[in-house]
Amino acid sequence: MNKIKYTFVCILLLTGYVNAHTLIKTSSPNDLVFSDLAKKWDEAMPLGNGTIGALIWENNQALRIALDRSDLWDLRPLEEFKGEPYTFQWVYEHVKKNNYKVVQDWYDFGKKGYAWPTKIPGAALEFDISKLGEIKENRLFLNQAICQIEWKNGVKFQSFIHATEPVGWFIFENIENDFIPVLIPPTYTKGTVNNVNDHSAFDLTKLGYKEGKIIQEKNKLVYEQTGWNNFKYKVAINWLQKGNTMIGTWSITTSKSTEDAEFITKKALNKGLPKSYDSHTKWWKQFYAQSSIDIPDSTLEKQYYNELYKMGSIARYNSYPISLQSIWTADNGRLAPWKGDYHHDLNTQLSYWPFYTGNHLKEGYGYLNTLWNQRKTNKSYTKHFYGTNGLNVPGVCTLEGEPMGGWIQFSLGPTVSAWLSQHFYLHWKYSMDRTFLKKRAYPYIKDVATYLEEFTQLKNGIRTLPLSSSPEYNDNRIDAWFTEMSNFDRALIRFVFMVATELASELNLPIEATHWKKLLNQLPDFDLDKNGGLTIAPHHPYTASHRHFSHLLAIHPLGIIDKSNGEKDAHIINESIRTLDTYGSDWWCGYSFSWLANLKARALDGDGAVQALQDFANHFCLRNTFHANGDQTQTGKSKFTYRPFTLEGNMAFAAGVQELLLQSHTGIIPIVSKIIFRSKNIVRPIS
């Protein structure tokens, strides 16, 4: 019996070789195609499935596959998040006393040298390609989510990450017998120097990890690493070689995983490459079938479909939300830009805009699912820091929703959960799932509204905050706090009470609806400048170029101020955007242009929206379409010329294209634009 079983397993393994080089692929004009390999990690070919990810590039004459996983985190807590200084009241008292340096010193963890908590890298798989000669083609097939590299000498490499299973595949053809993979662990015990201005602030040695172990057996490599508090992760690589063909699998698992990496890789090989690839491509075919666009501007269309590919690579129903770099952590021996965390001051929010209008509610649900599961943690934070019931969320937080600190105005901001609650509302509006409405959307929004009711104060019949801010304005100085509510906070609090009223009515809860309506009527109007445009806050007009359009949330994404409401709103929108244009883009990031495209689309300015999208694609993206924040052409679009990679600009770009074509935020679905050809192949939407 054992002999029969062994023979059967061998047959299964060998099926992986059947037609290995005939994996069906269909090219697209939007594929990434190069005649060389990227020499920098942030220009690599990206693969992913929301849980694991890979970056394929060349490092010192080796083909390198950087391996990553979403829950690779050092979660050690910070002592500062306890005691009296960890309360809003403590912050408020020091602001009132004009003694803000005490607050800055307490929460400036960068200056204190804290490298944790943080996202951490996994490992890398390398193959010596020094003898292979010139590249014929390096292509990312978007349709099948597979990278293929062909050398002029006939060697071929193919790699994909299975769409729904935590396993990656690699296939080499026409190789020599001594061609073997090498597992490269992260440099946790060796310092590195960073010569790129990409906000990789710390090298990995700051974490203090002991060097992990690599176990090598025939056709198998296993690496185990222990982190803080006995957190462990394992990387496993298994491969088979017959003649001049090699087929292999890899996986990463953590202490949180239900399966072991070695088991996963063996199971995948037993299943066989043809079956795995077939189910993988079926998922991607169904994903792309959910929506599509066809526009005559080839630059925008290519960028859009690469963003759609990223959406399918970084989000799943049961995955963690999209962090700054998601499953593409920096592969440079250092911690990721801004520690690869969850920034709720715009980054996670912008990252999910295109999932609703793009008909990818299922993939976007991982965001909501995680926020829902972290309610207990967030309520504890709300009770401790704000002293209220209900729910707020740290503006900068870990994988588990714990605060990480930073500029306190937004890292511990008073209206963070209000912006997050919009995503529960949007999922309800696009799905019309009454079970979700009853069990998730309204309960979450009700918790946020309860917190805001308790934390806001009534002064002369007007509801306000003790202190207000508008994210990233005036950085972390004392004048970043306003004594009157900013338009950012006014918009978010108004939105929460508006939708709480709406959803309570929808659920036939008239007493609750009346209560939220009463609170809504106690809010102040939006503050306007002398020309009728939105200010940052009372007595603080927009007078200088700034990257964050937080003061314009009421226009987009919240849609409270909208041209469909009449001439008054139209004037506010026109003047607000005119002011942005007047002060220009000197201090904008790439995501600013993506956001501007959405704003201009809402303002029915098609030419302006298209120009903003083109500026983003042409000036703020690397060759693999990754958003790099700064102007990479250094042609004056922005004075920021650095290159930290983050994803929110990419996702907001996709949303901007969608807003140009269809809009439904007013309760109807108008065809906003029709597309015609213009000179220079520019697409012009006409209202």
Side-chain angles (χ1 to χ4, degrees):
M1 177 63 72
N2 289 337
K3 183 176 181 181
I4 294 173
K5 182 177 180 181
Y6 175 76
T7 303
F8 177 64
V9 171
C10 286
I11 291 171
L12 283 175
L13 293 175
L14 289 174
T15 60
Y17 290 99
V18 176
N19 297 324
H21 58 285
T22 59
L23 296 179
I24 297 174
K25 300 176 288 292
T26 56
S27 61
S28 159
N30 304 311
D31 289 348
L32 295 178
V33 186
F34 306 104
S35 59
D36 64 347
L37 299 177
K39 303 300 191 296
K40 299 176 181 177
W41 73 269
D42 53 7
E43 296 182 357
M45 293 297 206
L47 302 172
N49 66 5
T51 298
I52 62 172
L55 295 169
I56 301 173
W57 60 294
E58 181 180 346
N59 181 45
N60 295 324
Q61 294 189 306
L63 178 66
R64 184 175 174 94
I65 310 176
L67 314 178
D68 193 19
R69 185 179 166 103
S70 61
D71 59 358
L72 288 175
W73 268 79
D74 184 311
L75 291 169
R76 75 186 83 180
L78 297 168
E79 291 297 313
E80 284 77 2
F81 290 123
K82 60 177 59 173
E84 183 184 1
Y86 181 40
T87 62
F88 183 86
Q89 185 63 30
W90 182 84
V91 175
Y92 176 73
E93 291 297 332
H94 284 289
V95 172
K96 280 181 62 178
K97 295 174 183 177
N98 201 29
N99 187 25
Y100 195 57
K101 188 176 186 303
V102 176
V103 180
Q104 292 171 322
D105 291 345
W106 188 263
Y107 285 102
D108 196 341
F109 302 134
K111 288 184 178 179
K112 291 182 177 181
Y114 296 160
W116 58 84
T118 183
K119 177 77 175 67
I120 58 176
L125 187 58
E126 288 193 348
F127 300 87
D128 184 358
I129 58 172
S130 60
K131 299 178 182 179
L132 298 188
E134 294 183 38
I135 298 287
K136 178 182 178 182
E137 183 180 82
N138 174 21
R139 178 185 289 263
L140 180 63
F141 289 88
L142 297 186
N143 289 337
Q144 289 77 35
I146 183 170
C147 176
Q148 178 175 286
I149 304 169
E150 295 181 275
W151 282 262
K152 291 182 179 180
N153 69 353
V155 172
K156 180 189 289 187
F157 164 83
Q158 298 173 92
S159 183
F160 67 94
I161 289 177
H162 194 278
T164 60
E165 299 170 6
V167 63
W169 287 83
F170 58 91
I171 306 102
F172 276 97
E173 300 171 55
N174 303 321
I175 56 173
E176 302 294 334
N177 290 331
D178 60 351
F179 192 80
I180 59 173
V182 178
L183 182 56
I184 310 295
T187 54
Y188 289 124
T189 59
K190 183 180 179 181
T192 58
V193 177
N194 183 35
N195 296 317
V196 179
N197 187 10
D198 63 359
H199 271 262
S200 298
F202 299 104
D203 69 50
L204 299 177
T205 61
K206 292 284 289 184
L207 299 176
Y209 295 173
K210 293 182 179 179
E211 188 172 346
K213 294 182 179 180
I214 297 178
I215 301 171
Q216 185 163 1
E217 301 176 9
K218 183 180 180 181
N219 293 358
K220 184 171 78 170
L221 289 164
V222 178
Y223 164 62
E224 293 186 271
Q225 178 66 53
T226 300
W228 175 80
N229 199 29
N230 208 34
F231 169 78
K232 290 182 172 65
Y233 72 88
K234 179 187 285 188
V235 181
I237 295 116
N238 270 270
W239 69 93
L240 302 168
Q241 188 163 352
K242 183 177 181 182
N244 61 3
T245 300
M246 174 192 293
I247 297 179
T249 56
W250 65 267
S251 186
I252 304 181
T253 51
T254 72
S255 303
K256 297 175 177 290
S257 305
T258 57
E259 290 186 310
D260 178 80
E262 290 183 77
F263 173 77
I264 292 170
T265 56
K266 290 177 183 177
K267 182 175 71 172
L269 282 175
N270 287 343
K271 181 179 179 180
L273 175 60
K275 287 184 178 179
S276 184
Y277 186 67
D278 181 60
S279 58
H280 165 76
T281 55
K282 283 181 178 177
W283 186 93
W284 278 96
K285 183 177 181 180
Q286 183 178 6
F287 173 80
Y288 286 126
Q290 298 302 107
S291 64
S292 63
I293 67 163
D294 184 11
I295 57 178
D297 188 312
S298 59
T299 298
L300 298 189
E301 184 171 290
K302 181 170 184 174
Q303 185 76 31
Y304 178 85
Y305 276 106
N306 274 270
E307 311 306 16
L308 191 59
Y309 167 77
K310 293 186 194 73
M311 289 169 60
S313 299
I314 60 180
R316 290 292 182 277
Y317 181 85
N318 58 350
S319 67
Y320 284 102
I322 302 168
S323 58
L324 293 181
Q325 295 85 29
S326 188
I327 36 80
W328 297 314
T329 300
D331 184 31
N332 59 359
R334 304 180 69 82
L335 295 181
W338 297 284
K339 302 179 185 178
D341 60 27
Y342 292 94
H343 260 57
H344 294 315
D345 84 318
L346 69 76
N347 302 80
T348 60
Q349 291 94 327
L350 272 63
S351 291
Y352 283 91
W353 284 352
F355 284 83
Y356 306 105
T357 43
N359 195 28
H360 291 290
L361 298 183
K362 185 176 182 181
E363 288 76 28
Y365 195 76
Y367 187 35
L368 305 178
N369 199 42
T370 300
L371 290 172
W372 180 262
N373 292 336
Q374 290 176 351
R375 284 177 306 137
K376 182 178 180 180
T377 297
N378 296 153
K379 286 184 176 184
S380 176
Y381 154 75
T382 306
K383 193 73 171 179
H384 187 112
F385 188 74
Y386 287 102
T388 72
N389 296 304
L391 185 148
N392 196 16
V393 179
V396 179
C397 64
T398 70
L399 179 78
E400 296 182 344
E402 297 285 358
M404 292 179 62
W407 291 355
I408 194 172
Q409 293 82 4
F410 66 83
S411 69
L412 299 172
T415 54
V416 174
S417 61
W419 196 347
L420 297 178
S421 73
Q422 189 201 16
H423 289 268
F424 283 86
Y425 179 75
L426 289 173
H427 186 92
W428 149 245
K429 296 297 283 187
Y430 278 87
S431 69
M432 299 306 288
D433 181 342
R434 294 197 65 82
T435 300
F436 176 82
L437 167 65
K438 183 177 181 179
K439 294 186 175 182
R440 294 267 173 121
Y442 182 62
Y444 193 92
I445 290 169
K446 181 178 178 179
D447 279 342
V448 175
T450 298
Y451 151 70
L452 289 172
E453 177 183 4
E454 293 188 18
F455 187 65
T456 53
Q457 304 169 343
L458 270 178
K459 293 183 179 180
N460 300 319
I462 302 297
R463 193 165 290 274
T464 188
L465 290 170
L467 288 175
S468 184
S469 65
S470 199
E472 303 189 23
Y473 280 96
N474 296 336
D475 298 340
N476 188 27
R477 303 191 304 267
I478 191 170
D479 60 355
W481 290 109
F482 306 121
T483 55
E484 295 183 71
M485 275 209 297
S486 66
N487 275 326
F488 173 78
D489 286 334
R490 293 182 191 214
L492 287 171
I493 297 173
R494 179 171 292 277
F495 172 80
V496 169
F497 291 153
M498 282 176 59
V499 298
T501 304
E502 176 188 335
L503 299 191
S505 298
E506 182 70 29
L507 290 170
N508 195 26
L509 301 170
I511 295 176
E512 294 186 26
T514 299
H515 178 71
W516 303 130
K517 181 73 171 180
K518 178 182 177 181
L519 298 180
L520 175 63
N521 291 335
Q522 294 170 345
L523 295 176
D525 291 335
F526 293 106
D527 189 71
L528 305 177
D529 61 24
K530 63 182 181 180
N531 296 316
L534 291 167
T535 64
I536 309 302
H539 317 296
H540 295 274
Y542 185 96
T543 57
S545 176
H546 194 276
R547 61 192 173 274
H548 199 308
F549 303 153
S550 52
H551 64 301
L552 302 184
L553 244 66
I555 301 173
H556 183 276
L558 301 181
I560 299 171
I561 300 175
D562 191 85
K563 286 198 170 184
S564 65
N565 295 333
E567 291 185 8
K568 180 181 177 181
D569 279 17
H571 181 76
I572 293 173
I573 292 170
N574 291 338
E575 283 300 318
S576 299
I577 295 178
R578 184 192 64 78
T579 300
L580 283 183
D581 291 339
T582 297
Y583 287 100
S585 62
D586 277 358
W587 296 109
W588 291 7
C589 291
Y591 68 73
S592 310
F593 288 87
S594 293
W595 195 345
L596 180 67
N598 285 269
L599 284 162
K600 293 206 169 188
R602 286 284 177 95
L604 305 181
D605 176 8
D607 287 335
V610 167
Q611 185 62 59
L613 292 171
Q614 290 175 332
D615 286 342
F616 173 83
N618 292 326
H619 297 272
F620 294 87
C621 292
L622 304 174
R623 75 175 204 167
N624 60 353
T625 72
F626 276 5
H627 164 233
N629 276 265
D631 180 2
Q632 300 306 298
T633 62
Q634 299 190 29
T635 55
K637 284 295 177 180
S638 173
K639 290 182 178 179
F640 283 117
T641 57
Y642 60 166
R643 59 181 289 152
F645 155 53
T646 56
L647 281 159
E648 76 291 325
N650 292 116
M651 299 298 99
F653 173 94
V657 173
Q658 294 166 358
E659 288 286 341
L660 273 168
L661 303 178
L662 292 173
Q663 294 179 17
S664 61
H665 59 281
T666 60
I668 60 173
I669 305 178
I671 299 176
V672 177
S673 319
K674 68 178 181 179
I675 306 301
I676 65 170
F677 285 98
R678 289 285 300 262
S679 61
K680 299 182 181 179
N681 200 31
I682 292 176
V683 52
R684 183 193 181 193
I686 302 178
S687 59

